[in-house]
Amino acid sequence: MFKYLFLLSAAALAAPAIAGEEPLYRPAPEWVSVKPLPAVAESPTIILYDDQRRLADGTVTSYIDRALRVDNPQMLNALGTIQAPWLPDKGDLIIHGVSIVRGDQTIDVLAQGAKFDVLRREQQLEQRTLTGAMTATLTVPGLRVGDVLRVAYSTTISDQTLGKEMQSVAPLPAVPFEAKAASVQLSWPAGSDVHWSATRSIELPEPVADGGFESITVTLPLAKPEDMPEDAPTRYKLPVLLQASSFADWGEVSRVMAPLYSTAGTIAPEGPLAAEVAKIVAANAETLPRMAAALRLVQDEVAYLAVGMEGGNYIPQSPADTWQKRYGDCKAKTLLLLALLHEMGIEAEPALVSSVAGDAVPDMQPMPGAFDHIIVHANAGGEEYWLDGTDSGATLATLKAVPPFRNALPVRPKGAELVAMTPRAAAQFDRIARIEYDSRAGLDLPMLFNAEWTIAGSLAGNVRALIDQAGKDQMDDLVSGFVISVLGPAQVVEGSMTFDAAGNRAIVRANGLMTSPWRWDRGQGKRPLNLVTTGFEFKPDRSRKAWSELPVQLDGPMAEKDEVTILLPETDGKFELEGKAALDEDIAGTHLERSAKIEGDRVVVTDFATSQGGELSADQAMAERSRASRLGSLALTLEAPRATARRFAFAGAEDRSRLAAIEAAYSRLIEKDPDDADNYRNRARFRSGTYDRSGALADLDKVIELEPDSQAYWARAGLLADLGRLDDALADARAASDLDPSVGTGIYEAQILAELDRVDEAVAIVENLDGDANERQAIVMELSNLYAQAGRKDEGYARIEELLAERPGDPAMLNARCWYKASWNYQTDDLAQICTRAVEQSSWSPPVLDSRAMAYFRLARFQEALDDIDAALLSSPELSPSLFMRGVVRRAMGDAKGAEDVAAALAREPSLERKYARYGISAR
């Protein structure tokens, strides 16, 4: 409660102290009703929360009295240093008391000589903000866990800009806030022009008159406000605030601010700003291009820095100072832009806006504090423009953009009322993505991409700032980070991030490799297209009675476009688009448009969405929700014909020309950074997946040379085993186990030992393993196979039955029992029934179908075996063991194609020959 976050400056001023720069030590003002401390026992942590504010004679005085119990060491650290902030150029900080209540004892900390230290420390420099605020701090001596710390102080504010006008905003905490005694009081001279209200339509008590003043007192906490949906406009979600103001109306606020933004005489006839105006006029013959050029000058040539000192919270620095210093906040940039526009004869005025309250401003008390930002409201050719000098990316196309502030207060000498900022369609896209995906090598291989993103508007300014600050290595990281954020896992081979100054836009270009987005459903390739429109949905929730009349806040303004080309592999059959290939709809303030076609060997998609923002009434929103529901899903999926070749086609193949472009991309990555082990690791994974075992082995050798880890050894061991180099594979398996002594590495080492017929050693390793429930299951299943290989089939089966008794009905264990009995040809009387139960419990999973096929093979029910294998391979054609067994079954049925299946399976996974030989099944 005492850790107020405030905007502080970096260092105390070295000049002599002026009024307000040092805290004062005085009793509470006479008008304050000092509250007695409530009983501490059985109270919440907050014992007292007292906030009293008085608006009188142009000064707002805020009296704060807080008492909190120090319940634990964490609170002792948090409360042990008191912080009291104030604005020295507008008033004083008056310390009234600091005390520790310990049982029946009250310790006056100030009477013991403790004094506050004064800090000027800016806390928002990263937001380019200097407020001139000061903070008085006191580390409380002797404070202990169990004590109650009570602090009382006042601050005064008399704003030099507002004269006799006053404003105040106090939070009104609601449940779950808890305090023994809590209240906020607001008072003002009877008969004065002070107006008050609370946000969220909270009813306030009637004023009470006493001693020439009126006051209202709000007892806290308030009842918890009704929860609001996330898409409700801001006015329904604001925290509850007690507002008070002496301004009669919005017109008076406008009039008070107007003198601060007079541009008369601010541009010297022969000065540097006059020269800038002359340049703009000479280069642009028409009003709108001149307006855009002036806005861009203010955005690009003047850095943002908010200065709140010396009245700077409302008073802008002069255009000449802003141009000379080349920095300024929203006020300074607005005044500079106004001066430039007025010098060119363009109609323009300042306009106060709120970046937080937005649509809630009309419901607030008229006062400058309702706003936190100021922009320029211009008019040309009968059309209005909203120009924000603190934004970036100004072009002729962005002039019509309406920022989402919703309401503005024009600042005029004669005053003005609030003006609604009506949303309108964007004149350009904020982002255009042009991406070519190259899937010609195969759908389940790394995919090549070549992409260009054009970014406009304020986003372009953000990218420009990154470009200006980044060196070459940083630029590579920026490009890679951008690509991954958009495309997902990817490796950029070549990339750049540039800024087009003429068009005021950023351009990101990249080509490289990315993880294939194709997914497989029962053997068919499908690729969801991630487009701007596919994420659109409109499902506002107004199901609660209290929400039924609430409007819906719309997203926006936004305009994005995707232009996508997908290069397809040669194949029998046709690729198809599933979903809405054509789209042209306007729903809930968003325009959606799409055109997707398959043209020969490529898919071409143009897809975009634009939204103006704003809000819809409850009735309009429900009608638009119904339209969105009838429109249905906007997902678009590309489906491949089942005949499309998979990576398995490269098993044993001599022609790898289709992979040349992918190989070249990996080679380029390695050339760029030959010491990056990930580049070799990724290429090894690709080569292994396309059955270039010698190439993958060379890459893994390099990985182990650069960054040896268990995964690299494990992967190399698998390749060596496939190549029949079992002793070398065992050495790598042991190296992996040494680096990562886990259940997985232990089992793998045992499997290689078993292939070397060193079964006893393998059993000894596995019997010494232990782990969690899933790991113990893997250990038992591995042991059962080792026991069977060692001729101890009864013992192996018993281990499976024991585990199945612990996990009855577990599909994995049912499959393990089926596979054990079938593969080892053990007790086959009930084999078909056992395996059928496993298949049914696993929802016809392809690996379990494979197990039952083995059972049918043992029972010489070859056609049923073949049916199960065909079903498994249709769903999961990557199952090389199933392909092997299909060859075995076909051969048993006298089908000559059996030899082809066996050869194809062994080309993919040569170790299958040794594995199935242990089961007594020959590949020959």
Side-chain angles (χ1 to χ4, degrees):
M1 187 63 67
F2 292 95
K3 292 289 184 182
Y4 289 104
L5 297 178
F6 209 76
L7 310 180
L8 313 174
S9 71
L13 293 177
I18 60 174
E21 283 201 333
E22 295 293 334
L24 307 174
Y25 294 85
R26 296 175 183 170
E30 292 184 0
W31 57 268
V32 167
S33 173
V34 179
K35 303 293 191 297
L37 188 68
V40 174
E42 298 181 1
S43 71
T45 298
I46 302 173
I47 312 297
L48 178 65
Y49 178 99
D50 187 22
D51 187 338
Q52 300 181 46
R53 305 189 180 202
R54 173 157 288 189
L55 284 70
D57 302 322
T59 299
V60 178
T61 304
S62 299
Y63 168 81
I64 304 294
D65 188 2
R66 303 282 192 269
L68 288 87
R69 187 175 57 246
V70 183
D71 284 336
N72 51 56
Q74 290 72 30
M75 287 190 66
L76 181 63
N77 288 332
L79 301 177
T81 299
I82 303 167
Q83 297 185 17
W86 86 105
L87 295 168
D89 67 322
K90 295 175 176 57
D92 293 310
L93 168 67
I94 306 108
I95 308 296
H96 306 312
V98 178
S99 60
I100 298 171
V101 179
R102 185 177 296 148
D104 296 332
Q105 181 185 11
T106 299
I107 303 167
D108 188 332
V109 174
L110 298 181
Q112 294 183 342
K115 293 289 184 182
F116 281 78
D117 294 320
V118 177
L119 304 176
R120 184 187 289 276
R121 181 177 66 244
E122 291 295 342
Q123 293 183 337
Q124 287 197 342
L125 283 176
E126 66 276 10
Q127 280 85 40
R128 304 283 293 170
T129 300
L130 296 168
T131 66
M134 285 185 171
T135 300
T137 68
L138 172 66
T139 300
V140 184
L143 188 66
R144 306 175 188 171
V145 173
D147 289 348
V148 172
L149 176 64
R150 184 174 187 178
V151 179
Y153 63 88
S154 297
T155 58
T156 62
I157 291 182
S158 179
D159 197 293
Q160 53 269 69
T161 305
L162 307 185
K164 292 295 183 181
E165 302 298 343
M166 300 167 290
Q167 57 182 348
S168 178
V169 178
L172 297 178
V175 173
F177 172 84
E178 285 187 293
K180 184 74 170 181
S183 62
V184 173
Q185 184 183 80
L186 186 67
S187 63
W188 60 92
S192 63
D193 240 350
V194 173
H195 312 278
W196 67 94
S197 65
T199 56
R200 299 288 293 267
S201 302
I202 299 296
E203 292 188 11
L204 297 173
E206 289 297 317
V208 175
D210 182 22
F213 284 83
E214 291 182 293
S215 66
I216 58 172
T217 302
V218 182
T219 302
L220 302 173
L222 300 179
K224 185 178 184 296
E226 178 75 30
D227 289 336
M228 289 290 141
E230 284 297 316
D231 57 12
T234 302
R235 60 188 179 275
Y236 296 97
K237 300 184 293 185
L238 278 179
V240 183
L241 304 171
L242 176 61
Q243 308 168 88
S245 168
S246 63
F247 288 86
D249 51 30
W250 294 113
E252 186 177 3
V253 176
S254 175
R255 288 191 297 275
V256 167
M257 292 292 148
L260 304 175
Y261 291 91
S262 172
T263 62
T266 56
I267 295 183
E270 302 299 327
L273 283 175
E276 295 296 330
V277 171
K279 288 179 189 176
I280 292 173
V281 170
N284 302 278
E286 297 181 355
T287 297
L288 290 184
R290 290 177 179 180
M291 188 188 296
L295 177 59
R296 183 170 179 181
L297 183 74
V298 173
Q299 289 181 350
D300 293 356
E301 300 299 327
V302 177
Y304 180 84
L305 179 66
V307 181
M309 298 178 287
E310 305 300 328
N313 59 320
Y314 289 132
I315 303 173
Q317 65 190 16
S318 71
D321 281 349
T322 301
W323 189 248
Q324 189 272 325
K325 294 174 180 177
R326 295 301 176 102
Y327 67 74
D329 57 13
C330 62
K331 303 180 297 296
K333 283 178 169 253
T334 290
L335 184 55
L336 173 59
L337 181 56
L338 284 170
L340 295 170
L341 296 176
H342 289 168
E343 193 75 6
M344 291 184 282
I346 298 173
E347 182 183 341
E349 62 187 356
L352 294 164
V353 295
S354 174
S355 65
V356 176
D359 62 87
V361 169
D363 298 332
M364 302 179 76
Q365 282 294 319
M367 57 181 174
F371 307 99
D372 63 357
H373 192 39
I374 189 165
I375 60 177
V376 170
H377 179 217
N379 192 289
E383 192 161 9
E384 63 182 1
Y385 299 88
W386 303 95
L387 313 177
D388 189 344
T390 67
D391 205 345
S392 60
T395 63
L396 192 59
T398 65
L399 284 184
K400 287 190 175 183
V402 179
F405 301 128
R406 301 293 302 278
N407 293 281
L409 180 65
V411 175
R412 300 170 184 165
K414 293 183 179 181
E417 292 303 310
L418 291 172
V419 173
M421 300 173 66
T422 305
R424 58 188 170 199
Q428 69 173 1
F429 288 103
D430 305 313
R431 180 191 63 82
I432 299 175
R434 297 181 178 91
I435 309 175
E436 180 184 85
Y437 299 104
D438 188 348
S439 292
R440 288 176 295 180
L443 305 184
D444 51 356
L445 297 174
M447 185 168 62
L448 296 163
F449 70 88
N450 191 358
E452 176 184 280
W453 292 270
T454 302
I455 302 164
S458 57
L459 290 175
N462 296 336
V463 177
R464 181 183 187 180
L466 293 174
I467 293 170
D468 291 343
Q469 297 172 23
K472 184 183 184 308
D473 290 343
Q474 290 174 310
M475 181 60 69
D476 289 343
D477 291 341
L478 282 174
V479 173
S480 291
F482 179 90
V483 170
I484 291 170
S485 71
V486 178
L487 300 183
Q491 294 171 276
V492 174
V493 176
E494 302 288 349
S496 66
M497 189 177 286
T498 58
F499 189 79
D500 171 17
N504 214 3
R505 58 185 186 170
I507 299 172
V508 182
R509 294 185 176 93
N511 63 70
L513 291 157
M514 61 179 289
T515 302
S516 173
W518 287 86
R519 299 294 177 263
W520 305 93
D521 180 14
R522 297 191 61 79
Q524 182 177 29
K526 296 185 178 184
R527 177 187 169 172
L529 299 182
N530 184 20
L531 304 168
V532 174
T533 60
T534 54
F536 174 81
E537 64 176 14
F538 187 68
K539 298 179 180 179
D541 181 4
R542 296 297 181 267
S543 57
R544 300 187 193 180
K545 184 176 180 181
W547 296 358
S548 61
E549 301 300 320
L550 291 181
V552 173
Q553 177 72 46
L554 301 176
D555 293 334
M558 175 277 291
E560 296 186 351
K561 182 178 184 180
D562 286 332
E563 296 177 0
V564 175
T565 300
I566 304 172
L567 305 181
L568 303 172
E570 293 182 8
T571 185
D572 294 332
K574 292 183 179 181
F575 283 83
E576 302 285 348
L577 286 167
E578 176 67 27
K580 289 181 171 61
L583 182 65
D584 189 352
E585 295 284 347
D586 289 280
I587 295 180
T590 300
H591 177 69
L592 307 165
E593 194 163 326
R594 177 192 297 168
S595 171
K597 299 177 181 178
I598 298 177
E599 299 177 348
D601 62 350
R602 65 192 58 210
V603 179
V604 180
V605 183
T606 300
D607 182 273
F608 64 86
T610 62
S611 174
Q612 297 179 189
E615 67 179 58
L616 295 177
S617 69
D619 289 343
Q620 290 173 317
M622 291 305 100
E624 292 300 285
R625 174 170 176 158
S626 295
R627 290 187 62 228
S629 177
R630 290 194 298 273
L631 181 62
S633 171
L634 297 184
L636 185 64
T637 301
L638 178 60
E639 296 184 349
R642 289 188 178 276
T644 305
R646 301 284 296 275
R647 62 181 179 85
F648 322 123
F650 296 102
E654 295 183 4
D655 183 4
R656 297 176 62 85
S657 57
R658 279 199 293 134
L659 304 177
I662 298 175
E663 282 281 357
Y666 279 118
S667 295
R668 179 70 184 109
L669 285 167
I670 289 171
E671 288 171 13
K672 286 173 61 179
D673 191 352
D675 294 327
D676 185 349
D678 282 340
N679 289 331
Y680 297 98
R681 186 179 286 112
N682 291 330
R683 188 170 68 176
R685 191 177 296 116
F686 158 68
R687 286 175 165 177
S688 179
T690 54
Y691 309 100
D692 176 10
R693 295 185 180 87
S694 59
L697 202 58
D699 283 336
L700 287 173
D701 288 345
K702 191 65 177 179
V703 171
I704 290 170
E705 175 189 328
L706 293 170
E707 291 181 7
D709 61 18
S710 62
Q711 292 297 321
Y713 278 112
W714 200 342
R716 193 170 70 175
L719 287 171
L720 291 168
D722 268 342
L723 292 170
R725 294 167 55 183
L726 294 179
D727 289 327
D728 292 335
L730 179 61
D732 273 1
R734 284 175 169 167
S737 189
D738 289 341
L739 289 170
D740 177 23
S742 64
V743 169
T745 55
I747 287 176
Y748 192 59
E749 181 183 351
Q751 289 172 341
I752 296 177
L753 283 168
E755 288 200 64
L756 287 165
D757 291 327
R758 294 161 63 177
V759 181
D760 291 343
E761 294 175 61
V763 168
I765 289 174
V766 179
E767 285 182 335
N768 285 319
L769 295 175
D770 196 10
D772 60 26
N774 289 330
E775 289 172 328
R776 286 196 296 275
Q777 178 177 321
I779 291 167
V780 167
M781 288 194 286
E782 186 60 33
L783 270 179
S784 66
N785 278 317
L786 290 172
Y787 287 160
Q789 186 175 347
R792 299 154 60 185
K793 291 183 180 180
D794 290 342
E795 192 174 350
Y797 186 69
R799 296 300 298 269
I800 290 178
E801 287 293 290
E802 289 170 8
L803 196 53
L804 189 56
E806 296 175 11
R807 305 169 70 163
D810 181 345
M813 291 310 304
L814 292 173
N815 181 48
R817 181 171 65 178
C818 165
W819 177 251
Y820 185 92
K821 289 172 71 76
S823 60
W824 294 108
N825 205 17
Y826 176 76
Q827 295 182 359
T828 59
D829 291 347
D830 57 353
L831 186 54
Q833 297 92 319
I834 284 175
C835 290
T836 295
R837 185 187 174 200
V839 167
E840 292 170 348
Q841 288 293 104
S842 70
S843 300
W844 305 83
S845 164
V848 187
L849 285 171
D850 177 83
S851 297
R852 189 172 69 173
M854 174 67 85
Y856 285 144
F857 171 75
R858 291 301 193 190
L859 297 172
R861 294 163 62 173
F862 300 134
Q863 186 58 54
E864 291 167 283
L866 187 60
D867 291 343
D868 273 355
I869 293 174
D870 283 341
L873 288 172
L874 180 65
S875 181
S876 300
E878 70 277 5
L879 293 177
S880 300
S882 297
L883 181 62
F884 179 87
M885 278 306 300
R886 188 172 72 178
V888 170
V889 172
R890 278 178 165 176
R891 192 173 56 194
M893 297 173 70
D895 186 343
K897 290 184 178 179
E900 296 176 14
D901 284 343
V902 169
L906 294 180
R908 296 186 195 180
E909 195 174 334
S911 60
L912 288 174
E913 183 170 8
R914 296 191 301 273
K915 175 182 176 180
Y916 280 85
R918 291 198 297 273
Y919 303 141
I921 298 173
S922 172
R924 305 301 171 188

